[in-house]
Amino acid sequence: MQARQLLAASLGLLAFLALAGYALDRAFLDTAESNLYQRLKSYALAYTGKGEFARNGEFIPPYDAVDPRFDMPGSGLYAEVVLDGSHWDSASAVGPELPPGAMLRAGEERFDRKLPVTELDGSIGEVYRYGYGVIHETGVEGEGIPYTIYILENTTQLRRQVAVFREALWRYLGGAGLILLLLQGLILRWSLRPLKRVVDELKRVQRGLLSRMSGRHPRELEPLTESINAFIESERENLERQRNTMADLAHSLKTPLAVLRARSAEHVPADELREEVDLQVRRMSDLVSYQLGRAARSGHMLFAAPVEIEPYADQIVRSLEKIYAAKGVLCEFELDPGIAFHGEPGDLQEVLGNLLENAFKWAKSRVLLTVKAGEAAANRRPGLLLAVDDDGPGIPEDKIERVLQRGVRGDERVQGHGIGLATVQDVVRSYRGTLDVLRSEELGGARFEVRLPPGL
């Protein structure tokens, strides 16, 4: 990137310097020609003011030459007076073959560029020529001598001036270009240094030397580093989710397997046992599909269809009542009418199944499932409050954080995997909700309270 930017900047700078040099060269040439024009005109006016005419109409030049070069043959500066039927040339015009000049009207000016001329040594050169038409007053009314004075100067002096200027111009522009290129390279290196630091940090993240991109970057690069960090965190979450999938799947299958084991130990009719096996097998199949789909998801659906809570809760409670039939635990429902869960049915089963199973495991005789509308917000559907209470021993406050950790059981003497509540917490977090563990005011045991925000 730095090489491409430096190449593009160099080409742009060279193009700018070339255009600037050309513009300055043309400006100098125009200025030089304008100065030459003014100089030739001043020579012509000097001859007009100082020259005289004899009685026979011949032109008498000034006694003192306007410029000493007019008296030097082949000097490159020539004067010519064109009369009607004759003409006069300065001494410098002896030898060179000057281009013929025509008579001009009085007051008419003419400036010709680079007319061909044969120099004193026979070489072909070029001259600039200024012509001015004049009428010499003889003092007699209605009479005058019309003539045209031409001043010519070869291009040698102007070419030398232009050559000296061009040499100095390109030398200075070249030096300035080299300095600017060096300065531009340093500026590009300095300006791209933050991007180089991002690349270096990314390489260190790839090598495992850093866990994420740091926040010490310019504002323009913050979206890039934040996106990289989000991608890194997403990949880590996906990896963690894949690692937990098997454990979650095993935990989810525990209840149906326990039902099958309990029913097989009982002496029940074959038709009833077959129906129970078919029901639990379908449930295990749904759980496997759900866990695999959940492992592939990276979050909940924002526009999921509403799911009725009571049918799922009733199915789970009936299965748990069979498992814990010896304890005689009863579950009561307090469900507000019209309240639904907006999300995946498998997520609802995961939350209800783990919370109710945990409540049945610790309850003495009563479990309470409460579902109410949660917080409300304008132009959004209300949130959801889902709570499970039991009349068991409850959970001490100093152990709440521990029991929510994956693989930790509230009581090591009680059979379990220690991942049910952690799975609930993962699901609730994916819906931007919260899971709180409290003391049940109504039943006296533990209360697990799930709150989902509005609009989800």
Side-chain angles (χ1 to χ4, degrees):
M1 183 184 297
Q2 181 175 344
R4 289 196 298 269
Q5 289 188 356
L6 185 59
L7 177 61
S10 301
L11 293 177
L13 179 61
L14 291 176
F16 170 76
L17 291 177
L19 291 175
Y22 176 78
L24 291 174
D25 181 81
R26 293 303 308 173
F28 178 81
L29 185 60
D30 292 343
T31 302
E33 288 186 348
S34 177
N35 291 336
L36 177 62
Y37 167 81
Q38 295 296 333
R39 186 169 63 254
L40 297 182
K41 181 178 181 179
S42 65
Y43 288 153
L45 294 177
Y47 270 102
T48 302
K50 296 181 180 181
E52 297 292 340
F53 282 86
R55 291 183 178 181
N56 60 359
E58 293 182 359
F59 180 75
I60 302 174
Y63 180 78
D64 296 325
V66 177
D67 190 294
R69 289 182 296 169
F70 285 113
D71 293 334
M72 298 171 58
S75 65
L77 184 62
Y78 317 107
E80 180 182 15
V81 176
V82 178
L83 298 167
D84 188 12
S86 63
H87 72 280
W88 170 88
D89 295 326
S90 64
S92 60
V94 178
E97 296 183 8
L98 303 179
M103 288 284 293
L104 300 178
R105 297 189 303 273
E108 181 182 357
E109 292 182 297
R110 184 173 180 178
F111 183 67
D112 300 312
R113 295 176 174 84
K114 298 181 179 181
L115 298 175
V117 61
T118 301
E119 300 288 354
L120 189 61
D121 58 0
S123 62
I124 302 299
E126 294 178 330
V127 295
Y128 286 89
R129 184 176 69 178
Y130 174 79
Y132 182 59
V134 186
I135 295 181
H136 177 70
E137 298 294 339
T138 60
V140 179
E141 185 177 356
E143 294 184 4
I145 302 175
Y147 69 97
T148 301
I149 183 166
Y150 286 102
I151 306 296
L152 301 90
E153 184 174 348
N154 62 21
T155 59
T156 303
Q157 184 177 1
L158 182 61
R159 284 201 303 266
R160 289 174 182 172
Q161 293 176 354
V162 173
V164 171
F165 173 78
R166 285 175 176 172
E167 181 181 357
L169 172 66
W170 294 114
R171 183 171 63 250
Y172 288 124
L173 284 179
L178 291 177
I179 294 175
L180 289 175
L181 285 176
L182 179 60
L183 183 61
Q184 189 136 22
L186 295 176
I187 292 175
L188 282 175
R189 186 179 182 86
W190 172 77
S191 61
L192 293 177
R193 185 177 298 174
L195 190 58
K196 186 176 183 300
R197 286 201 299 267
V198 170
V199 175
D200 293 339
E201 281 192 8
L202 186 57
K203 290 180 179 179
R204 295 178 69 186
V205 170
Q206 291 174 342
R207 295 170 185 167
L209 301 177
L210 291 176
S211 60
R212 67 195 309 274
M213 304 291 291
S214 67
R216 302 187 305 271
H217 297 289
R219 291 193 304 272
E220 295 80 1
L221 296 179
E222 285 181 357
L224 174 63
T225 56
E226 290 175 358
S227 298
I228 293 175
N229 283 333
F231 177 76
I232 293 172
E233 292 173 1
S234 176
E235 286 300 306
R236 287 175 180 163
E237 290 176 359
N238 289 336
L239 179 60
E240 185 68 20
R241 186 162 49 250
Q242 295 295 334
R243 289 174 178 173
N244 295 332
T245 297
M246 296 306 298
D248 292 345
L249 180 58
H251 184 269
S252 299
L253 295 177
K254 183 183 64 172
T255 299
L257 290 174
V259 172
L260 291 176
R261 184 167 53 249
R263 299 295 286 175
S264 64
E266 300 175 357
H267 298 287
V268 296
D271 293 341
E272 185 178 346
L273 180 59
R274 188 181 302 108
E275 181 181 354
E276 187 67 38
V277 170
D278 181 66
L279 175 64
Q280 298 304 327
V281 168
R282 286 200 306 270
R283 183 181 178 192
M284 286 189 288
S285 178
D286 293 341
L287 287 172
V288 171
S289 300
Y290 161 70
Q291 289 291 355
L292 293 178
R294 180 169 171 262
R297 292 199 310 270
S298 59
H300 66 283
M301 298 174 59
L302 293 177
F303 304 103
V307 178
E308 293 186 15
I309 299 175
E310 187 172 3
Y312 290 96
D314 186 64
Q315 181 183 1
I316 293 172
V317 167
R318 281 192 285 109
S319 297
L320 291 173
E321 286 178 344
K322 294 175 183 178
I323 297 174
Y324 296 95
K327 297 179 65 175
V329 178
L330 297 177
C331 182
E332 304 173 20
F333 289 174
E334 288 187 6
L335 308 179
D336 285 354
I339 298 300
F341 171 78
H342 291 267
E344 291 291 328
D347 290 338
L348 177 61
Q349 285 182 315
E350 192 74 26
V351 172
L352 288 175
N354 284 288
L355 293 182
L356 288 172
E357 181 184 4
N358 184 77
F360 269 81
K361 182 187 300 183
W362 294 99
K364 296 177 182 178
S365 60
R366 292 183 60 195
V367 172
L368 175 62
L369 172 63
T370 305
V371 178
K372 297 181 179 180
E375 296 180 0
N379 300 321
R380 300 176 69 179
R381 63 171 178 264
L384 179 67
L385 170 63
L386 187 152
V388 176
D389 298 71
D390 63 69
D391 60 351
I395 301 175
E397 292 186 3
D398 57 345
K399 291 185 178 181
I400 291 177
E401 183 176 355
R402 185 170 180 271
V403 298
L404 293 178
Q405 297 177 4
R406 183 175 295 273
V408 177
R409 300 198 300 270
D411 190 340
E412 298 294 335
R413 296 171 296 180
V414 178
Q415 184 180 2
H417 295 81
I419 63 175
L421 295 179
T423 301
V424 172
Q425 186 166 244
D426 291 342
V427 173
V428 171
R429 284 178 177 174
S430 72
Y431 284 83
R432 303 175 188 172
T434 59
L435 172 62
D436 297 317
V437 182
L438 309 169
R439 171 67 66 175
S440 175
E441 296 181 358
E442 184 170 350
L443 301 184
R447 175 182 174 89
F448 290 86
E449 191 173 271
V450 174
R451 292 182 179 272
L452 301 182
L456 294 179

